[in-house]
Amino acid sequence: VSYNAAYAKIPVTQRIDFLPERYWAKGLTRNQVIEDDLNRSVPNPFHIRNLEPLRTSDPTAYRYLSTVGFFTGTSIRKHQLLRAFPNMNGLYGLRPGTSFKESRGGNRYHDLQVQFEKRFAAGLHSALMYTRAYSDRQDYYWNEFDERPAWRTNNDVRPHRLVWTGIYELPFGKGRRFVTSGPMAHLIGGWQVSWVYQYQTGPATSWPNVFYYGDMAKIRQVFKHKEVHQKDIHVWFDPNIAYRGAGSIPEGFVGFEGRTALQPGTFHVRVFPTLLDELRADGLRMWDARLLRRFAIAERLRVSFAMDLLNLTNHTNFGPPNTNPTHRDFGRVTNQSGLSRLIQFILRLEF
């Protein structure tokens, strides 16, 4: 049994040409006025004709700027003019006045590991390993204008992982319990079977910026994962929690805004988490097995033959569900994660 913990500082890049917070829409209603205003085209003050004195003071720079679209366009979007350093479109790095040390995020990790291992009589060896882990990362800016990155679930770590392994030498052949001699001993003797069973919880689901009407503390019950998934294995959560009717949201409705035209705009602060630990995608459940036999050809020459059965039971591990409330497949799983059953044969010469 072991307990393990770690903390690390990690680099996180910032958007340098961010749009200040005061220009963004807020609340749980789409603000089309702000969206239209910030996307409005206005005369480009950086147009090359406004830099005419540069033609004589620095001809080389003038000729170069004459080839750059930012300086040759006659119009520009209003939101770009309102940004810090509007000429640095989409540039990430360190903002002026921010040190590398101040810009770093963090990574926190804890786990409890338990392992049982035993060699039994009659050629059986088995081990059982379980890990309960927790981790989160400060690696993401909820909004481009935020001064510090936010903490969220670390999807590289899964809360539960169980592994059971075993090797069993079949009791046939020379030195074993049954069929110790004769032609059959050479045919069925010396084989061993091994297996690995894996169970692992799935990743937290990933979400766009959406309007959710309800108590986030009770969102797990709203999804009704177990109830709907038992009826249809391709439905991961209740798709009816997206409202697609006409008019205002009905009083008492709990769920998501499902109408495309009423989704948060490009310039709407994030109002919903990027990763949702309350709803995880399908995990990993898999049996792998191997059948192995070694043949002695000479004193220093052996041949081993193995057959690997990967995902022996041909169990389907689902991919993540669709989390776009405007999509027709909202709440459904439309792909699988990993391969179906795979059988491979291995012949190896050992000398």
Side-chain angles (χ1 to χ4, degrees):
V1 179
S2 67
Y3 167 76
N4 307 276
Y7 177 79
K9 300 292 288 184
I10 58 176
V12 184
T13 57
Q14 302 170 308
R15 181 161 181 173
I16 295 178
D17 66 325
F18 65 94
L19 182 67
E21 180 179 3
R22 63 181 179 272
Y23 299 116
W24 292 70
K26 298 180 181 179
L28 293 179
T29 305
R30 180 184 176 94
N31 192 323
Q32 192 61 44
V33 174
I34 290 180
E35 194 74 11
D36 293 341
D37 182 56
L38 291 175
N39 277 312
R40 180 165 53 93
S41 293
V42 296
N44 183 8
F46 300 100
H47 191 268
I48 192 67
R49 66 170 173 262
N50 296 328
L51 306 177
E52 191 64 26
L54 195 63
R55 185 195 293 268
T56 54
S57 63
D58 194 336
T60 303
Y62 185 86
R63 284 194 299 271
Y64 170 72
L65 296 180
S66 298
T67 65
V68 178
F70 180 80
F71 297 96
T72 59
T74 57
S75 63
I76 190 172
R77 299 288 186 180
K78 182 179 178 180
H79 72 82
Q80 189 169 354
L81 282 181
L82 296 174
R83 294 178 177 275
F85 309 99
N87 59 310
M88 297 182 178
N89 187 22
L91 183 65
Y92 284 79
L94 286 179
R95 296 172 186 169
T98 302
S99 68
F100 175 72
K101 181 179 180 180
E102 293 171 334
S103 72
R104 290 183 299 173
N107 189 345
R108 300 180 295 206
Y109 177 82
H110 304 269
D111 80 28
L112 178 67
Q113 298 183 27
V114 181
Q115 178 173 328
F116 301 91
E117 187 172 4
K118 183 174 177 60
R119 181 177 293 278
F120 297 89
L124 174 63
H125 176 266
S126 186
L128 182 68
M129 293 151 282
Y130 170 74
T131 301
R132 176 68 172 96
Y134 168 80
S135 179
D136 59 355
R137 292 168 61 93
Q138 187 186 17
D139 67 344
Y140 179 80
Y141 286 89
W142 271 52
N143 302 286
E144 62 182 53
F145 54 78
D146 290 343
E147 294 183 1
R148 296 286 296 161
W151 289 93
R152 61 177 178 172
T153 297
N154 183 0
N155 252 355
D156 291 335
V157 175
R158 307 298 163 82
H160 301 279
R161 178 168 173 80
L162 176 71
V163 179
W164 178 36
T165 66
I167 300 176
Y168 178 55
E169 298 177 350
L170 299 181
F172 307 112
K174 184 178 180 181
R176 307 290 173 84
R177 186 175 180 181
F178 304 109
V179 194
T180 58
S181 60
M184 287 297 293
H186 294 283
L187 181 63
I188 65 175
W191 290 91
Q192 71 176 31
V193 178
S194 58
W195 65 88
V196 178
Y197 171 73
Q198 301 178 71
Y199 166 80
Q200 179 176 281
T201 46
T205 48
S206 178
W207 291 79
N209 192 20
V210 294
F211 291 138
Y212 174 72
Y213 311 110
D215 185 355
M216 284 295 297
K218 299 179 180 178
I219 194 171
R220 188 189 300 270
Q221 293 90 335
V222 175
F223 284 126
K224 300 179 183 178
H225 164 66
K226 291 184 179 180
E227 179 182 334
V228 298
H229 189 58
Q230 287 175 349
K231 296 178 181 179
D232 186 343
I233 61 172
H234 299 107
V235 179
W236 201 249
F237 59 87
D238 186 3
N240 297 316
I241 58 175
Y243 182 74
R244 297 188 176 90
S248 302
I249 297 291
E251 184 178 354
F253 173 79
V254 177
F256 295 89
E257 175 61 72
R259 295 167 290 187
T260 301
L262 298 179
Q263 294 302 303
T266 304
F267 303 103
H268 200 111
V269 298
R270 178 163 277 275
V271 292
F272 197 80
T274 59
L275 296 174
L276 204 58
D277 195 48
E278 289 79 3
L279 180 72
R280 288 185 168 266
D282 194 21
L284 175 70
R285 296 173 184 82
M286 184 177 295
W287 285 93
D288 296 331
R290 164 174 278 198
L291 189 63
L292 174 68
R293 167 73 192 273
R294 289 187 174 88
F295 301 87
I297 306 300
E299 182 178 355
R300 296 186 177 182
L301 181 63
R302 293 174 178 270
V303 174
S304 64
F305 169 78
M307 180 174 66
D308 291 340
L309 301 134
L310 308 178
N311 192 8
L312 172 64
T313 60
N314 203 29
H315 175 79
T316 299
N317 295 297
F318 292 113
N322 187 304
T323 56
N324 182 353
T326 68
H327 199 279
R328 65 179 182 179
D329 288 328
F330 179 61
R332 298 182 64 86
V333 173
T334 58
N335 55 70
Q336 73 179 57
S337 178
L339 299 174
S340 303
R341 183 191 296 119
L342 180 65
I343 302 175
Q344 61 185 17
F345 300 93
I346 302 169
L347 188 65
R348 179 177 176 180
L349 183 66
E350 302 173 354
F351 58 89

